[in-house]
Amino acid sequence: MIRTVYVYGSPVLRKVAQNITPDYPKLDALIADMFETMEQSDGIGLAAPQIGLSIRLFVVDGTPLADDDPTLKDFRKVFINAQITERFGEKVIYNEGCLSLPGLHEDVERESKIRIRYHDEKFVEHEEVYEGMAARIIQHEYDHLDGILFTDRVSPIRKQLLRSKLNAIAKGKYSASYKCRIG
């Protein structure tokens, strides 16, 4: 089932999400819905707060970028109760977008490598290191779990320049090819 994506101005996007347990109701269906919503929206990641749920869950699928970055060929994963334990490597700037900020793209600086501890969809615990685009995708989605949007990571001058665009999104003045709401 395709879920509605909450956009800038929705309070759920600014909350710190809560951990869940293996008995979270209908978790398998929720994960399937999140992948379907992300794919229908042409996204490569989706965090639960973006569909109105303040829980520590996000899904990623970097395979649409595999032609440009072969390391993403099989990068389709579920992250539950994730904790980034280390960010390292060089800082890299890349132009990011977000389903919760329709039509907005900005250069964001992030570390090139991360170490993350998380549970998969079967609640098996993992600790892994990611780098490059996979690390960027994870960091972007992980930020949603802490109530952070990519626009929070741009320079103060860029934030000032974005203010009118952000206010417009919060007032419902945006265009998106997927179901959105402010809530």
mmCIF file of all heavy atoms in Angstrom, residues 70-101:
data_model
loop_
_atom_site.group_PDB
_atom_site.id
_atom_site.type_symbol
_atom_site.label_atom_id
_atom_site.label_comp_id
_atom_site.label_asym_id
_atom_site.label_seq_id
_atom_site.Cartn_x
_atom_site.Cartn_y
_atom_site.Cartn_z
ATOM 1 N N PRO A 70 28.366 1.297 -9.393
ATOM 2 C CA PRO A 70 28.121 -0.149 -9.327
ATOM 3 C C PRO A 70 28.088 -0.720 -7.906
ATOM 4 O O PRO A 70 27.512 -1.792 -7.694
ATOM 5 C CB PRO A 70 29.288 -0.751 -10.128
ATOM 6 C CG PRO A 70 29.731 0.351 -11.041
ATOM 7 C CD PRO A 70 29.487 1.627 -10.284
ATOM 8 N N THR A 71 28.663 -0.029 -6.925
ATOM 9 C CA THR A 71 28.630 -0.538 -5.547
ATOM 10 C C THR A 71 27.207 -0.542 -4.990
ATOM 11 O O THR A 71 26.944 -1.180 -3.974
ATOM 12 C CB THR A 71 29.531 0.290 -4.607
ATOM 13 O OG1 THR A 71 29.017 1.624 -4.502
ATOM 14 C CG2 THR A 71 30.970 0.318 -5.102
ATOM 15 N N LEU A 72 26.284 0.154 -5.641
ATOM 16 C CA LEU A 72 24.898 0.227 -5.172
ATOM 17 C C LEU A 72 24.001 -0.829 -5.815
ATOM 18 O O LEU A 72 22.796 -0.854 -5.553
ATOM 19 C CB LEU A 72 24.326 1.627 -5.432
ATOM 20 C CG LEU A 72 25.045 2.774 -4.721
ATOM 21 C CD1 LEU A 72 24.477 4.113 -5.174
ATOM 22 C CD2 LEU A 72 24.942 2.626 -3.217
ATOM 23 N N LYS A 73 24.583 -1.720 -6.604
ATOM 24 C CA LYS A 73 23.809 -2.705 -7.363
ATOM 25 C C LYS A 73 22.826 -3.495 -6.497
ATOM 26 O O LYS A 73 21.680 -3.689 -6.869
ATOM 27 C CB LYS A 73 24.757 -3.653 -8.088
ATOM 28 C CG LYS A 73 24.066 -4.700 -8.917
ATOM 29 C CD LYS A 73 25.074 -5.545 -9.670
ATOM 30 C CE LYS A 73 24.402 -6.705 -10.344
ATOM 31 N NZ LYS A 73 24.371 -7.911 -9.508
ATOM 32 N N ASP A 74 23.254 -3.938 -5.329
ATOM 33 C CA ASP A 74 22.386 -4.732 -4.455
ATOM 34 C C ASP A 74 22.121 -4.027 -3.126
ATOM 35 O O ASP A 74 21.849 -4.678 -2.123
ATOM 36 C CB ASP A 74 23.018 -6.105 -4.193
ATOM 37 C CG ASP A 74 23.169 -6.907 -5.475
ATOM 38 O OD1 ASP A 74 22.191 -6.961 -6.247
ATOM 39 O OD2 ASP A 74 24.262 -7.460 -5.711
ATOM 40 N N PHE A 75 22.199 -2.705 -3.142
ATOM 41 C CA PHE A 75 22.048 -1.935 -1.904
ATOM 42 C C PHE A 75 20.575 -1.626 -1.640
ATOM 43 O O PHE A 75 20.068 -0.559 -1.932
ATOM 44 C CB PHE A 75 22.880 -0.651 -1.970
ATOM 45 C CG PHE A 75 22.867 0.139 -0.697
ATOM 46 C CD1 PHE A 75 23.329 -0.407 0.487
ATOM 47 C CD2 PHE A 75 22.393 1.434 -0.687
ATOM 48 C CE1 PHE A 75 23.311 0.327 1.660
ATOM 49 C CE2 PHE A 75 22.366 2.182 0.482
ATOM 50 C CZ PHE A 75 22.832 1.626 1.663
ATOM 51 N N ARG A 76 19.875 -2.628 -1.132
ATOM 52 C CA ARG A 76 18.451 -2.522 -0.776
ATOM 53 C C ARG A 76 18.326 -3.109 0.625
ATOM 54 O O ARG A 76 18.494 -4.315 0.803
ATOM 55 C CB ARG A 76 17.601 -3.272 -1.782
ATOM 56 C CG ARG A 76 16.114 -3.202 -1.508
ATOM 57 C CD ARG A 76 15.359 -3.984 -2.591
ATOM 58 N NE ARG A 76 13.993 -4.221 -2.238
ATOM 59 C CZ ARG A 76 12.967 -3.443 -2.572
ATOM 60 N NH1 ARG A 76 13.172 -2.356 -3.286
ATOM 61 N NH2 ARG A 76 11.740 -3.738 -2.203
ATOM 62 N N LYS A 77 18.055 -2.249 1.615
ATOM 63 C CA LYS A 77 18.132 -2.696 3.008
ATOM 64 C C LYS A 77 17.084 -2.022 3.873
ATOM 65 O O LYS A 77 16.554 -0.974 3.540
ATOM 66 C CB LYS A 77 19.507 -2.357 3.594
ATOM 67 C CG LYS A 77 20.658 -3.075 2.927
ATOM 68 C CD LYS A 77 21.979 -2.744 3.557
ATOM 69 C CE LYS A 77 22.248 -3.484 4.805
ATOM 70 N NZ LYS A 77 22.667 -4.849 4.720
ATOM 71 N N VAL A 78 16.870 -2.664 5.027
ATOM 72 C CA VAL A 78 16.002 -2.143 6.085
ATOM 73 C C VAL A 78 16.879 -1.868 7.300
ATOM 74 O O VAL A 78 17.711 -2.708 7.669
ATOM 75 C CB VAL A 78 14.910 -3.180 6.455
ATOM 76 C CG1 VAL A 78 14.080 -2.698 7.634
ATOM 77 C CG2 VAL A 78 14.034 -3.488 5.245
ATOM 78 N N PHE A 79 16.690 -0.707 7.908
ATOM 79 C CA PHE A 79 17.437 -0.331 9.112
ATOM 80 C C PHE A 79 16.432 -0.042 10.222
ATOM 81 O O PHE A 79 15.598 0.855 10.097
ATOM 82 C CB PHE A 79 18.277 0.919 8.859
ATOM 83 C CG PHE A 79 19.410 0.709 7.898
ATOM 84 C CD1 PHE A 79 19.189 0.742 6.525
ATOM 85 C CD2 PHE A 79 20.698 0.488 8.358
ATOM 86 C CE1 PHE A 79 20.239 0.554 5.628
ATOM 87 C CE2 PHE A 79 21.750 0.297 7.472
ATOM 88 C CZ PHE A 79 21.520 0.333 6.111
ATOM 89 N N ILE A 80 16.526 -0.812 11.312
ATOM 90 C CA ILE A 80 15.643 -0.634 12.468
ATOM 91 C C ILE A 80 16.507 -0.297 13.685
ATOM 92 O O ILE A 80 17.529 -0.937 13.920
ATOM 93 C CB ILE A 80 14.822 -1.914 12.742
ATOM 94 C CG1 ILE A 80 13.937 -2.244 11.529
ATOM 95 C CG2 ILE A 80 13.975 -1.759 14.006
ATOM 96 C CD1 ILE A 80 13.241 -3.597 11.606
ATOM 97 N N ASN A 81 16.062 0.699 14.448
ATOM 98 C CA ASN A 81 16.756 1.133 15.668
ATOM 99 C C ASN A 81 18.229 1.440 15.396
ATOM 100 O O ASN A 81 19.111 1.150 16.210
ATOM 101 C CB ASN A 81 16.628 0.101 16.784
ATOM 102 C CG ASN A 81 15.181 -0.156 17.172
ATOM 103 O OD1 ASN A 81 14.298 0.654 16.915
ATOM 104 N ND2 ASN A 81 14.928 -1.304 17.774
ATOM 105 N N ALA A 82 18.491 2.044 14.267
ATOM 106 C CA ALA A 82 19.864 2.325 13.847
ATOM 107 C C ALA A 82 20.531 3.368 14.746
ATOM 108 O O ALA A 82 19.879 4.285 15.238
ATOM 109 C CB ALA A 82 19.866 2.814 12.403
ATOM 110 N N GLN A 83 21.835 3.178 14.922
ATOM 111 C CA GLN A 83 22.673 4.138 15.628
ATOM 112 C C GLN A 83 23.976 4.271 14.845
ATOM 113 O O GLN A 83 24.718 3.290 14.713
ATOM 114 C CB GLN A 83 22.985 3.676 17.053
ATOM 115 C CG GLN A 83 21.792 3.688 17.978
ATOM 116 C CD GLN A 83 21.242 5.088 18.210
ATOM 117 O OE1 GLN A 83 21.976 6.060 18.330
ATOM 118 N NE2 GLN A 83 19.924 5.194 18.253
ATOM 119 N N ILE A 84 24.233 5.455 14.307
ATOM 120 C CA ILE A 84 25.533 5.706 13.690
ATOM 121 C C ILE A 84 26.516 5.911 14.831
ATOM 122 O O ILE A 84 26.336 6.802 15.662
ATOM 123 C CB ILE A 84 25.496 6.914 12.737
ATOM 124 C CG1 ILE A 84 24.627 6.595 11.513
ATOM 125 C CG2 ILE A 84 26.919 7.300 12.310
ATOM 126 C CD1 ILE A 84 24.483 7.733 10.520
ATOM 127 N N THR A 85 27.542 5.072 14.877
ATOM 128 C CA THR A 85 28.495 5.130 15.982
ATOM 129 C C THR A 85 29.767 5.886 15.616
ATOM 130 O O THR A 85 30.530 6.268 16.496
ATOM 131 C CB THR A 85 28.860 3.716 16.464
ATOM 132 O OG1 THR A 85 29.391 2.970 15.358
ATOM 133 C CG2 THR A 85 27.632 3.000 17.024
ATOM 134 N N GLU A 86 29.980 6.086 14.309
ATOM 135 C CA GLU A 86 31.180 6.805 13.877
ATOM 136 C C GLU A 86 30.945 7.373 12.483
ATOM 137 O O GLU A 86 30.370 6.710 11.620
ATOM 138 C CB GLU A 86 32.366 5.838 13.875
ATOM 139 C CG GLU A 86 33.683 6.454 13.580
ATOM 140 C CD GLU A 86 34.835 5.439 13.604
ATOM 141 O OE1 GLU A 86 34.587 4.231 13.759
ATOM 142 O OE2 GLU A 86 35.984 5.882 13.429
ATOM 143 N N ARG A 87 31.403 8.605 12.303
ATOM 144 C CA ARG A 87 31.425 9.242 10.979
ATOM 145 C C ARG A 87 32.876 9.623 10.737
ATOM 146 O O ARG A 87 33.492 10.256 11.583
ATOM 147 C CB ARG A 87 30.549 10.491 10.958
ATOM 148 C CG ARG A 87 29.068 10.212 11.208
ATOM 149 C CD ARG A 87 28.297 11.539 11.347
ATOM 150 N NE ARG A 87 27.001 11.331 11.957
ATOM 151 C CZ ARG A 87 25.839 11.399 11.322
ATOM 152 N NH1 ARG A 87 25.821 11.698 10.034
ATOM 153 N NH2 ARG A 87 24.713 11.196 11.954
ATOM 154 N N PHE A 88 33.406 9.246 9.587
ATOM 155 C CA PHE A 88 34.821 9.515 9.338
ATOM 156 C C PHE A 88 35.068 9.607 7.836
ATOM 157 O O PHE A 88 34.143 9.523 7.044
ATOM 158 C CB PHE A 88 35.703 8.456 10.015
ATOM 159 C CG PHE A 88 35.417 7.035 9.604
ATOM 160 C CD1 PHE A 88 36.263 6.373 8.734
ATOM 161 C CD2 PHE A 88 34.308 6.340 10.103
ATOM 162 C CE1 PHE A 88 36.017 5.054 8.365
ATOM 163 C CE2 PHE A 88 34.060 5.023 9.742
ATOM 164 C CZ PHE A 88 34.913 4.383 8.864
ATOM 165 N N GLY A 89 36.343 9.786 7.476
ATOM 166 C CA GLY A 89 36.680 9.960 6.072
ATOM 167 C C GLY A 89 36.605 11.425 5.699
ATOM 168 O O GLY A 89 36.322 12.294 6.526
ATOM 169 N N GLU A 90 36.848 11.680 4.429
ATOM 170 C CA GLU A 90 36.817 13.067 3.973
ATOM 171 C C GLU A 90 35.380 13.571 3.907
ATOM 172 O O GLU A 90 34.438 12.791 3.774
ATOM 173 C CB GLU A 90 37.498 13.192 2.613
ATOM 174 C CG GLU A 90 36.801 12.414 1.504
ATOM 175 C CD GLU A 90 37.529 12.503 0.185
ATOM 176 O OE1 GLU A 90 37.566 13.600 -0.415
ATOM 177 O OE2 GLU A 90 38.063 11.474 -0.252
ATOM 178 N N LYS A 91 35.234 14.891 4.024
ATOM 179 C CA LYS A 91 33.910 15.497 3.869
ATOM 180 C C LYS A 91 33.679 15.736 2.390
ATOM 181 O O LYS A 91 34.550 16.244 1.690
ATOM 182 C CB LYS A 91 33.828 16.789 4.663
ATOM 183 C CG LYS A 91 33.882 16.520 6.147
ATOM 184 C CD LYS A 91 33.426 17.707 6.933
ATOM 185 C CE LYS A 91 33.429 17.321 8.400
ATOM 186 N NZ LYS A 91 32.382 17.939 9.137
ATOM 187 N N VAL A 92 32.505 15.332 1.931
ATOM 188 C CA VAL A 92 32.175 15.404 0.513
ATOM 189 C C VAL A 92 30.869 16.165 0.352
ATOM 190 O O VAL A 92 29.918 15.960 1.116
ATOM 191 C CB VAL A 92 32.038 13.980 -0.089
ATOM 192 C CG1 VAL A 92 31.649 14.032 -1.553
ATOM 193 C CG2 VAL A 92 33.323 13.189 0.107
ATOM 194 N N ILE A 93 30.826 17.032 -0.651
ATOM 195 C CA ILE A 93 29.612 17.795 -0.952
ATOM 196 C C ILE A 93 28.887 17.109 -2.100
ATOM 197 O O ILE A 93 29.503 16.710 -3.094
ATOM 198 C CB ILE A 93 29.956 19.249 -1.323
ATOM 199 C CG1 ILE A 93 30.565 19.956 -0.116
ATOM 200 C CG2 ILE A 93 28.719 19.992 -1.823
ATOM 201 C CD1 ILE A 93 31.091 21.343 -0.408
ATOM 202 N N TYR A 94 27.572 16.976 -1.945
ATOM 203 C CA TYR A 94 26.744 16.345 -2.976
ATOM 204 C C TYR A 94 25.372 17.006 -2.935
ATOM 205 O O TYR A 94 24.876 17.364 -1.871
ATOM 206 C CB TYR A 94 26.624 14.835 -2.708
ATOM 207 C CG TYR A 94 25.944 14.072 -3.810
ATOM 208 C CD1 TYR A 94 26.639 13.659 -4.938
ATOM 209 C CD2 TYR A 94 24.593 13.755 -3.717
ATOM 210 C CE1 TYR A 94 26.003 12.947 -5.948
ATOM 211 C CE2 TYR A 94 23.953 13.043 -4.723
ATOM 212 C CZ TYR A 94 24.665 12.648 -5.836
ATOM 213 O OH TYR A 94 24.038 11.950 -6.837
ATOM 214 N N ASN A 95 24.753 17.141 -4.086
ATOM 215 C CA ASN A 95 23.439 17.760 -4.184
ATOM 216 C C ASN A 95 22.363 16.754 -3.799
ATOM 217 O O ASN A 95 22.220 15.726 -4.454
ATOM 218 C CB ASN A 95 23.229 18.278 -5.610
ATOM 219 C CG ASN A 95 22.079 19.240 -5.711
ATOM 220 O OD1 ASN A 95 20.975 18.854 -6.072
ATOM 221 N ND2 ASN A 95 22.324 20.489 -5.376
ATOM 222 N N GLU A 96 21.643 17.032 -2.715
ATOM 223 C CA GLU A 96 20.627 16.123 -2.193
ATOM 224 C C GLU A 96 19.220 16.684 -2.403
ATOM 225 O O GLU A 96 19.022 17.886 -2.441
ATOM 226 C CB GLU A 96 20.832 15.890 -0.687
ATOM 227 C CG GLU A 96 22.091 15.147 -0.353
ATOM 228 C CD GLU A 96 22.207 14.805 1.125
ATOM 229 O OE1 GLU A 96 21.182 14.823 1.841
ATOM 230 O OE2 GLU A 96 23.329 14.505 1.560
ATOM 231 N N GLY A 97 18.282 15.776 -2.467
ATOM 232 C CA GLY A 97 16.866 16.095 -2.471
ATOM 233 C C GLY A 97 16.186 15.236 -1.432
ATOM 234 O O GLY A 97 16.818 14.398 -0.794
ATOM 235 N N CYS A 98 14.886 15.437 -1.246
ATOM 236 C CA CYS A 98 14.156 14.693 -0.224
ATOM 237 C C CYS A 98 12.678 14.663 -0.582
ATOM 238 O O CYS A 98 12.115 15.691 -0.991
ATOM 239 C CB CYS A 98 14.362 15.376 1.134
ATOM 240 S SG CYS A 98 13.537 14.561 2.505
ATOM 241 N N LEU A 99 12.043 13.514 -0.396
ATOM 242 C CA LEU A 99 10.619 13.408 -0.687
ATOM 243 C C LEU A 99 9.790 14.346 0.190
ATOM 244 O O LEU A 99 8.711 14.771 -0.215
ATOM 245 C CB LEU A 99 10.147 11.961 -0.507
ATOM 246 C CG LEU A 99 10.780 10.928 -1.444
ATOM 247 C CD1 LEU A 99 10.282 9.531 -1.111
ATOM 248 C CD2 LEU A 99 10.512 11.274 -2.897
ATOM 249 N N SER A 100 10.291 14.688 1.376
ATOM 250 C CA SER A 100 9.569 15.596 2.272
ATOM 251 C C SER A 100 9.824 17.070 1.961
ATOM 252 O O SER A 100 9.244 17.942 2.600
ATOM 253 C CB SER A 100 9.945 15.310 3.730
ATOM 254 O OG SER A 100 9.457 14.039 4.114
ATOM 255 N N LEU A 101 10.676 17.327 0.980
ATOM 256 C CA LEU A 101 10.955 18.693 0.529
ATOM 257 C C LEU A 101 10.837 18.724 -0.992
ATOM 258 O O LEU A 101 11.823 18.896 -1.700
ATOM 259 C CB LEU A 101 12.357 19.131 0.969
ATOM 260 C CG LEU A 101 12.561 19.241 2.474
ATOM 261 C CD1 LEU A 101 14.027 19.156 2.839
ATOM 262 C CD2 LEU A 101 11.938 20.509 2.998
#
